[in-house]
Amino acid sequence: MLLEGLRSVHAAHRFVATDKLTLDHVSVRRGALHHAQRMLSLGLRAGDRVALWAHPHAMTAVGLVGNLYAGLVTVPLNPSVGTRELAHVLGDSSPSLVLGEAPPGRAHALPSEELSLGYATEGEREDLGDAHPALVLYTSGTTGAPKGAVLTRGNIARNLQALASAWDWTREDSLLHALPLFHVHGLVLGLLGPLSLGCSVTIQQRFEPEAVATALRSYATMLFGVPTMYHRLAEKSVEDKRFARALGRPRLLVSGSAPLGLREHQRIADAAGRAVHERYGLTETLINTAVRAGEAPRPGWVGRALDGVELRLVDDQRRPAGPGEGSLGEVCVRGPSVFQGYLGRDEATLAARDPDGWFFTGDLGCLAEDGNLRVVGRRSTDLIKTGGFKVGAGEVEECLRAHPSVREAAVLGLPDEDLGERIAAWVVLEPGGHATGDELVAHVADALGPQKRPRQVRFVDALPRNAMGKVVKATLKAPT
Ligand code: MLC
Ligand code: AMP
């Protein structure tokens, strides 16, 4: 059962979003039961979709759990989503209702409800099986607008069980993170994890290394972060011994959502005398592999398959590739946490998952004889991971082209010490067109969201093209 842990928790187990409200798990459960009753009294029924502004706030937990109790399918909304992307997500997922306070400038025409903290002791639908959808998470592809990945209750429950076993994660733990609550990492692992296992969680509203160190010093036993966060923590640890000691304190530092560089592993090992455990996942599959709590991490490797997960490598024709550290192939995954499909996009679902249930991740990796996986890159350069956020080059290019002064645009991810990759755009202006780089950055931030904004823009007279007229991105160089 997905939220089994919440039924038997006691008030010592805290849910904290470091702002206005601290709740214990008993209050989250009662508030959520109240919310579920309210949703059902409004005429919503199991399976209906409901969007939820995923503010880093305790009420997000109440809304999410209440929706699960009522069997509603939550579409979390990024509070800093751009106007155009918001219209896409709401149009594509057609929720019956939008829950929570809309951020300034993000009005919409759908019915909406504020979340409030009520009290109830019943309201949970007990009859919903593992195949019932729980979440629709929007995720970018190489081209086009993001697609909604439908995750079921079973997908989530099995994944959290497997992670609990991999990390010896129990209700005695106290998790700390500062991740956003609209993606797998912060939402499924960082929020539903503690709520289903019954352990304490503190969600910091924004990532500040000092605030993280303070929490690590006093109570946190586990930290979840993306590599950009570990990079910033490593920087601080190198210059400040007190800081390094704080990083050495929790029993587990977990990194995921993008590769953690060898340099960061080494710097944290040197400064704090400890290792970082990596795990590897995708929105569509949840977490696939993890370095186990009792094992010494091998930098560059993301661990073995979780319980119930099968892994294999395939070549360009999707034929199984040979095993061994020397063999490289696309990573494929099969198991109980592979998603139900993309909302309303059967063709895209069929392209990503074969009839035998294998999901093609697009990641390139090698599998050691002992089952450990190393992720070495991606099949397409048109998917960018920046600060742990996945961004499609195509969506940014399309957005730039929609600007009246822009004639053509090409977007690439360039290596970046802090963000892993930074979004860089090459732009050809319309004859007589006037736009500055800052204006175009603001244009993308406003339309799609600040996470998708280019960090650098270079104006060129023409884009390099091959004989077929296709832009040759490989020849584009980093702006100087
Ligand atoms: C800056 N800002 C702008 C702007 N420039 N806003 C509008 N226009 C502009 N031109 C604002 C931003 O909105 C933000 O405001 C603030 O400035 C800083 O933004 P930033 O530059 O994006 O922050 P940054 O320091 O780069 O953030 C680093 C980070 C962040 C690590 C904290 O990238 C992050 O939270 N990453 C986590 C991503 C994640 O969770 N991925 C998981 C995917 S699931 P404000 O208001 O926001 O402060 C997955 C599966 C798996 O991958 O395996 O886990
Ligand atoms: P998303 O679609 O945002 O869920 O991102 C999934 C992608 O993040 C994967 O396909 C990988 O490219 C990347 N990723 C996640 N975890 C890791 C990791 N530990 N190491 C390398 N890449 C990772």
Side-chain angles (χ1 to χ4, degrees):
M1 283 286 278
L2 175 50
L3 293 168
E4 192 64 52
L6 258 191
R7 292 212 178 126
S8 52
V9 284
H10 51 86
H13 294 95
R14 301 167 315 145
F15 177 96
V16 186
T18 42
D19 56 348
K20 303 164 204 153
L21 191 62
T22 295
L23 296 175
D24 57 62
H25 284 212
V26 176
S27 312
V28 171
R29 174 161 163 80
R30 287 176 180 159
L33 289 168
H34 168 80
H35 173 65
Q37 279 182 351
R38 218 169 107 242
M39 292 293 100
L40 296 172
S41 74
L42 287 173
L44 294 172
R45 291 292 165 256
D48 287 350
R49 283 188 291 278
V50 167
L52 169 66
W53 285 109
H55 297 289
H57 189 280
M59 288 310 293
T60 299
V62 172
L64 178 68
V65 175
N67 288 349
L68 284 166
Y69 284 159
L72 301 174
V73 187
T74 302
V75 185
L77 301 175
N78 170 359
S80 61
V81 68
T83 47
R84 181 173 142 162
E85 188 156 312
L86 176 63
H88 163 70
V89 169
L90 293 180
D92 192 69
S93 60
S94 55
S96 308
L97 201 65
V98 181
L99 289 170
E101 197 182 330
R106 295 295 177 268
H108 53 80
L110 289 165
S112 51
E113 280 283 313
E114 291 305 306
L115 281 164
S116 61
L117 198 62
Y119 177 102
T121 51
E122 58 187 65
E124 184 176 3
R125 295 269 320 249
E126 308 265 358
D127 53 338
L128 302 167
D130 271 4
H132 192 79
L135 293 173
V136 180
L137 301 184
Y138 276 80
T139 184
S140 296
T142 50
T143 57
K147 299 187 282 293
V150 181
L151 292 162
T152 66
R153 299 161 83 90
N155 291 152
I156 298 167
R158 297 291 93 71
N159 208 236
L160 291 174
Q161 267 166 7
L163 285 173
S165 150
W167 292 333
D168 306 329
W169 186 5
T170 71
R171 66 170 45 190
E172 304 314 317
D173 278 304
S174 181
L175 173 68
L176 172 71
H177 75 82
L179 294 155
L181 297 182
F182 46 88
H183 281 313
V184 160
H185 201 163
L187 185 73
V188 177
L189 276 62
L191 202 159
L192 288 176
L195 291 175
S196 65
L197 293 169
C199 82
S200 296
V201 60
T202 302
I203 298 174
Q204 297 189 335
Q205 283 213 295
R206 50 184 314 118
F207 176 74
E208 306 271 13
E210 288 299 345
V212 168
T214 303
L216 294 182
R217 244 173 242 130
S218 45
Y219 58 85
T221 64
M222 298 169 86
L223 173 69
F224 289 174
V226 295
T228 301
M229 296 174 177
Y230 285 105
H231 169 77
R232 294 179 189 179
L233 294 171
E235 298 267 276
K236 288 283 219 174
S237 298
V238 169
E239 61 201 36
D240 180 346
K241 282 214 170 64
R242 229 182 128 240
F243 198 95
R245 273 200 300 278
L247 212 51
R249 221 191 132 271
R251 70 173 188 88
L252 215 53
L253 300 180
V254 181
S255 174
S257 304
L260 184 67
L262 298 184
R263 180 161 177 261
E264 306 313 342
H265 274 288
Q266 195 55 51
R267 289 207 301 178
I268 292 174
D270 291 345
R274 57 114 18 99
V276 179
H277 282 62
E278 278 198 83
R279 95 290 179 291
Y280 157 74
L282 282 91
T283 301
E284 292 92 332
T285 63
L286 301 179
I287 308 308
N288 302 309
T289 72
V291 179
R292 305 303 197 262
E295 288 175 3
R298 184 172 163 201
W301 295 76
V302 293
R304 288 177 288 114
L306 293 182
D307 293 347
V309 174
E310 294 173 85
L311 287 181
R312 73 177 186 195
L313 301 181
V314 295
D315 66 16
D316 281 354
Q317 314 296 316
R318 293 192 168 177
R319 290 174 307 216
E325 289 194 20
S327 82
L328 190 71
E330 181 176 355
V331 180
C332 303
V333 186
R334 185 162 71 173
S337 297
V338 173
F339 74 158
Q340 195 177 70
Y342 296 112
L343 186 68
R345 286 182 167 75
D346 291 347
E347 251 178 63
T349 306
L350 279 170
R353 187 185 53 209
D354 76 9
D356 294 329
W358 287 100
F359 181 86
F360 298 88
T361 64
D363 291 312
L364 297 173
C366 52
L367 258 177
E369 304 284 355
D370 63 3
N372 274 288
L373 179 72
R374 176 180 190 139
V375 180
V376 297
R378 275 187 306 273
R379 288 193 61 195
S380 172
T381 53
D382 282 340
L383 275 181
I384 301 165
K385 264 272 157 151
T386 179
F389 289 105
K390 186 189 257 186
V391 181
E395 59 183 329
V396 182
E397 288 164 357
E398 213 176 286
C399 179
L400 286 167
R401 278 197 298 268
H403 189 280
S405 295
V406 174
R407 182 175 198 169
E408 292 187 293
V411 165
L412 265 180
L414 297 178
D416 188 279
E417 222 185 52
D418 180 47
L419 296 170
E421 289 180 293
R422 65 177 179 279
I423 302 175
W426 285 259
V427 172
V428 181
L429 290 176
E430 289 287 3
H434 295 286
T436 63
D438 286 349
E439 251 173 83
L440 295 182
V441 169
H443 165 75
V444 176
D446 185 58
L448 303 182
Q451 293 88 2
K452 297 187 177 181
R453 74 189 192 274
R455 305 283 172 145
Q456 50 189 78
V457 176
R458 187 180 207 183
F459 293 99
V460 288
D461 293 335
L463 295 177
R465 291 183 185 275
N466 64 17
M468 310 292 289
K470 194 172 177 302
V471 176
V472 190
K473 290 195 181 178
T475 65
L476 291 167
K477 289 273 181 285
T480 46

